[in-house]
Amino acid sequence: MSKSDTPRALDRDEAEMVQQSQALEDRSPAELRELIGRLRARRDRAQRQIRTRARSAQGRGETAGADTGAREKKALLTEAIARVAEALASPRSGGAKAKTATENLRQAVRRKAENPTWTGPEDRTADQGSVETPNTKIAPSGALHAEGMRAAISRSTGNR
């Protein structure tokens, strides 16, 4: 028999992901997000297995047995998720960027409050009447022969 340092509850892929979660120093934030997504998917799968087995045992009238392998798998994956989430929240992987962005937003709001927005000229109001058409030599819209009889007819009665 060979002794391995990986728990028997994990399969090969899961054990590899857990090992990756223990060595996170040289990983980019994108790699960390991808790893945490895969870990969460596997954890959720283990959780569904636990629930399904408990439901089926309950349906047969039995008590839910100790599903220690799946529970151990879920615990190991949850610990790995916590490690990766902590690494994602660290300043090295982008947490400092979020703080800088928040500070920049605060400064922008402060600058906007100091400089009031332009409200437009004071002498213009909505009461000054209608605006003349820029070119008075053209016919009003819809008049025959102004833009061509075909366009006016198609607009009024449809195609002929």
Side-chain angles (χ1 to χ4, degrees):
M1 284 192 196
S2 66
K3 282 194 166 187
S4 65
D5 56 348
T6 60
R8 292 183 62 192
L10 301 176
D11 65 10
R12 185 174 293 145
D13 292 335
E14 292 164 347
E16 181 182 326
M17 286 189 288
V18 169
Q19 286 175 352
Q20 288 176 1
S21 74
Q22 293 169 348
L24 300 172
E25 295 81 31
D26 57 342
R27 300 218 181 264
S28 70
E31 290 174 336
L32 292 176
R33 283 189 295 273
E34 190 265 332
L35 178 62
I36 201 169
R38 291 187 322 173
L39 285 166
R40 284 178 178 154
R42 292 296 180 110
R43 183 210 45 204
D44 294 344
R45 183 173 154 218
Q47 180 65 39
R48 281 192 306 272
Q49 284 179 344
I50 293 169
R51 288 180 184 158
T52 303
R53 289 176 186 164
R55 248 185 253 123
S56 65
Q58 193 176 28
R60 292 189 304 258
E62 303 170 1
T63 59
D67 197 358
T68 57
R71 291 184 191 280
E72 182 181 357
K73 177 189 287 195
K74 181 185 168 204
L76 291 169
L77 292 171
T78 303
E79 290 172 7
I81 290 169
R83 281 192 297 271
V84 176
E86 184 179 328
L88 273 171
S90 73
R92 183 183 63 78
S93 69
K97 290 180 184 177
K99 290 179 184 176
T100 305
T102 304
E103 185 58 33
N104 289 342
L105 181 63
R106 284 191 183 123
Q107 290 174 1
V109 168
R110 195 176 315 119
R111 282 192 305 267
K112 188 170 184 177
E114 291 171 0
N115 301 325
T117 58
W118 180 71
T119 57
E122 303 269 336
D123 61 336
R124 295 201 179 181
T125 64
D127 302 335
Q128 299 202 358
S130 62
V131 178
E132 286 190 37
T133 55
N135 188 353
T136 57
K137 295 181 181 178
I138 62 172
S141 178
L144 294 178
H145 302 294
E147 57 187 13
M149 186 178 237
R150 181 177 183 153
I153 290 174
S154 68
R155 203 172 42 242
S156 64
T157 61
N159 291 336
R160 290 190 179 175

